[in-house]
Amino acid sequence: MIFDYELLYVKEGEIEVTIEDAAYRGCPGDFFLFKPRQRHSIRLIGSVPFRQPHLHFDLYYQPDSEDVKVSFNMIEQMTVQEKAWFREDTASYPPMELPNHMRFSNPAYLEKMMFDIIHVFTMKMPFYETEAKGIFVQLWTALLREQHLSRHEPVISHWERLVRIKQYLHQQADRDISLGELAEMTHLSRYHLIRLFKLAFGMTPIQYHQLIRIGKAKELVQYTTESLTQIAEQLGFPNIHSFSRVFKKTDGVAPSFYRKKN
């Protein structure tokens, strides 16, 4: 039983992992996430040696994080101090919500980050803690993203098209874009395009495009002396009123708010 989290990667060999009352078969490339208070055991399958790089971590740093160890006692046998070490399990609920067993189609880059963290801790060069935390944030983000996409197979099958749309929207920040144009470009229906894009990136293509345009507008307002009317024209808005309306709806304040900051 662990107090915080443990991320285990199956590099070689096959195992049977039991977590609480659920059993999983682990193959090379699989990840297992053991969470606070979870009883778990590992049994080797076959004769191939088992290699399992793993990381123990606190998802959020706490004053006693350095003191937390692994316990092999049942909770009934633990001291009051040990029981106080149990962390809140935030990785079982949205927005993170990672399962105990994860299997991805391309785990190579995740494996590399796992070994990079271990290497950094082994070498202990100056500021190694900061470096390790930085790589871990990348690894954790990648796990969340891979798990999110694995729940939406249609997104994976259309991933290249969705990325192409995203890049295209960045390139067209200086004009208005219609959903029909994007649908025709990708050979998808408008409904299907909206659904897939929202599953992948959390918003519709038009909402994403507005964010890009207003982000660029914000930079121009803050760091140039061009008038708001000139900026509106440069970004393809029909007039200053339309520009101000979209800006306020997207950013929460009028564009003049950022001009006053200079």
Side-chain angles (χ1 to χ4, degrees):
M1 187 173 291
I2 60 174
F3 302 106
D4 43 17
Y5 292 92
E6 179 183 357
L7 183 65
L8 180 147
Y9 178 65
V10 183
K11 174 63 177 174
E12 295 175 4
E14 293 191 11
I15 54 174
E16 181 183 80
V17 178
T18 302
I19 304 174
E20 299 297 343
D21 298 319
Y24 307 91
R25 189 182 185 93
C27 304
D30 287 4
F31 283 89
F32 286 93
L33 179 63
F34 305 124
K35 304 175 183 180
R37 294 180 183 272
Q38 285 187 332
R39 292 178 291 105
H40 63 276
S41 62
I42 300 172
R43 182 177 68 85
L44 180 65
I45 299 175
S47 58
V48 177
F50 176 44
R51 188 178 174 198
Q52 50 152 10
H54 59 280
L55 303 171
H56 276 278
F57 60 93
D58 241 349
L59 201 49
Y60 301 102
Y61 186 82
Q62 299 184 40
D64 62 349
S65 290
E66 301 295 333
D67 302 323
V68 177
K69 304 294 187 291
V70 178
S71 175
F72 296 96
N73 295 327
M74 298 299 291
I75 191 168
E76 297 81 10
Q77 303 170 309
M78 292 181 181
T79 66
V80 174
Q81 174 62 63
E82 287 178 318
K83 291 178 181 179
W85 283 339
F86 281 115
R87 302 321 198 197
E88 180 184 357
D89 178 19
T90 55
S92 294
Y93 306 98
M96 288 189 271
E97 199 172 7
L98 286 175
N100 290 119
H101 180 214
M102 293 170 278
R103 179 174 292 169
F104 306 119
S105 58
N106 180 28
Y109 81 108
L110 299 167
E111 174 187 314
K112 181 181 183 304
M113 285 188 278
M114 190 94 172
F115 278 101
D116 284 347
I117 294 171
I118 294 171
H119 175 72
V120 167
F121 264 100
T122 302
M123 296 302 293
K124 286 186 169 52
M125 298 291 284
F127 305 104
Y128 75 93
E129 298 99 332
T130 303
E131 183 180 5
K133 289 176 183 176
I135 303 171
F136 177 81
V137 169
Q138 295 179 55
L139 173 60
W140 189 254
T141 303
L143 288 171
L144 292 171
R145 184 176 295 126
E146 289 284 352
Q147 183 61 28
H148 172 76
L149 293 176
S150 71
R151 293 196 297 263
H152 304 292
E153 284 298 325
V155 172
I156 297 175
S157 60
H158 291 88
W159 184 249
E160 288 187 8
R161 278 195 258 190
L162 293 172
V163 170
R164 191 166 72 249
I165 292 172
K166 201 174 181 184
Q167 293 171 338
Y168 183 73
L169 293 174
H170 275 276
Q171 295 165 358
Q172 306 299 322
D174 58 349
R175 69 181 184 90
D176 202 12
I177 284 182
S178 70
L179 194 59
E181 176 185 347
L182 298 176
E184 183 178 350
M185 185 179 94
T186 55
H187 305 291
L188 295 169
S189 70
R190 299 185 187 194
Y191 169 80
H192 201 39
L193 173 58
I194 291 174
R195 177 175 171 272
L196 291 174
F197 198 93
K198 197 167 185 178
L199 282 173
F201 306 118
M203 64 187 73
T204 70
I206 301 305
Q207 289 172 332
Y208 186 78
H209 189 230
Q210 294 290 41
L211 277 180
I212 295 168
R213 297 178 80 191
I214 297 308
K216 188 170 181 179
K218 193 188 300 184
E219 292 180 2
L220 293 172
V221 172
Q222 285 182 294
Y223 304 117
T224 74
T225 58
E226 295 179 4
S227 69
L228 297 183
T229 301
Q230 289 174 316
I231 293 172
E233 291 176 353
Q234 186 176 332
L235 295 175
F237 288 92
N239 52 61
I240 184 63
H241 303 295
S242 173
F243 170 62
S244 297
R245 184 174 64 253
V246 173
F247 195 107
K248 191 168 185 178
K249 182 179 179 181
T250 304
D251 201 65
V253 295
S256 57
F257 173 83
Y258 292 99
R259 183 55 55 87
K260 292 175 182 176
K261 290 292 183 181
N262 290 338

